[in-house]
């Protein structure tokens, strides 16, 4: 029970301080879940993020569910999910009650402008960390560049991009590793 409460509290803390959704949560997840709690590895977190992108729902909630499930089964997934959404429900309820009265104030608009800039920095930080962990050679670098280009210049869905990138990674990195493995054995 203590572990389930820890999952809830940990994800509730993340949910309370994450502005900007799942992408902005990545640096916090990486630090808390991978480095401090060791509930997942860096590669697992990247996989959960990719799967969370492809499945219905919010990336942060999906990722929390995957991490909780991996760490403590179904109840872990439920507690992590409840933890990550609980602060949002409370905060949104409070803001909804008062925002209409204050939305036009300059100080509120400036605060939101500052928050948006900070979220952009958090997302950039997450992209850099993802790049370092995910791009491990020319092939994966080419897949990233191709995915970015397709995303920027077409209306292809993110689900299709993730699936296509997975297929390309499987086909090309697997073939290269097999080729290099056979070459090493032939050289012996």
């Amino acid at each position: 029970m203590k572990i389930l409460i820890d999952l809830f509290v940990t994800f509730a803390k993340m949910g309370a301080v994450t502005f900007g959704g799942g992408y902005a949560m990545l640096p916090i997840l990486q630090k808390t879940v991978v480095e401090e709690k060791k509930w997942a590895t860096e590669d697992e977190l990247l996989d959960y993020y990719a799967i969370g992108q492809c499945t219905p729902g919010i990336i942060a909630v999906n990722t929390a569910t995957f991490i909780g499930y991996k760490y403590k089964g179904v109840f872990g997934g439920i507690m992590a999910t409840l933890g990550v959404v609980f602060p949002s429900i409370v905060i949104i309820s409070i803001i909804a009650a008062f925002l209409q009265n204050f939305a036009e104030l300059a100080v509120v608009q400036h605060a939101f402008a500052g928050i948006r800039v900070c979220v952009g920095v958090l997302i950039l930080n997450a992209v850099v960390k993802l790049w370092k962990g995910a791009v491990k050679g020319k092939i994966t670098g080419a897949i990233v560049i191709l995915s970015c280009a397709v995303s920027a210049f077409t209306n292809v869905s993110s689900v299709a991009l993730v699936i296509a990138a997975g297929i390309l990674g499987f086909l090309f990195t697997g073939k290269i590793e097999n080729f290099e493995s056979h070459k090493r054995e032939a050289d012996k």
Side-chain angles (χ1 to χ4, degrees), residues 20-60:
Y23 295 113
M25 185 181 263
L26 184 59
I28 298 169
L29 277 169
Q30 195 272 336
K31 183 176 186 213
T32 305
V33 172
V34 175
E35 294 174 12
E36 293 174 8
K37 300 283 187 177
K38 303 206 184 311
W39 289 340
T41 66
E42 187 90 28
D43 287 341
E44 287 172 331
L45 182 60
L46 293 173
D47 291 343
Y48 297 152
Y49 241 67
I51 295 168
Q53 184 97 29
C54 296
T55 53
I58 302 165
I59 297 170

Side-chain angles (χ1 to χ4, degrees), residues 73-86:
V74 172
F75 291 114
I78 291 169
M79 292 303 281
T81 302
L82 291 175
V84 81
V85 300
F86 180 74

Side-chain angles (χ1 to χ4, degrees), residues 4 13 15 33 41 44 68 82-83 90 106 122 124 132 162 165:
L4 294 175
K13 287 178 184 175
V33 172
T41 66
E44 287 172 331
L82 291 175
V90 171
L122 290 173
L124 180 62
K132 289 178 183 176
V162 170

Side-chain angles (χ1 to χ4, degrees), residues 92-103:
I92 289 169
S93 297
I94 292 169
I95 290 174
F98 298 105
L99 185 61
Q100 290 180 353
N101 300 330
F102 301 107

Side-chain angles (χ1 to χ4, degrees), residues 169 171-184:
L171 292 174
F172 289 107
T173 59
K175 286 183 179 180
I176 290 171
E177 287 174 7
N178 286 338
F179 174 75
E180 289 173 352
S181 174
H182 290 304
K183 186 178 175 187
R184 281 191 296 263

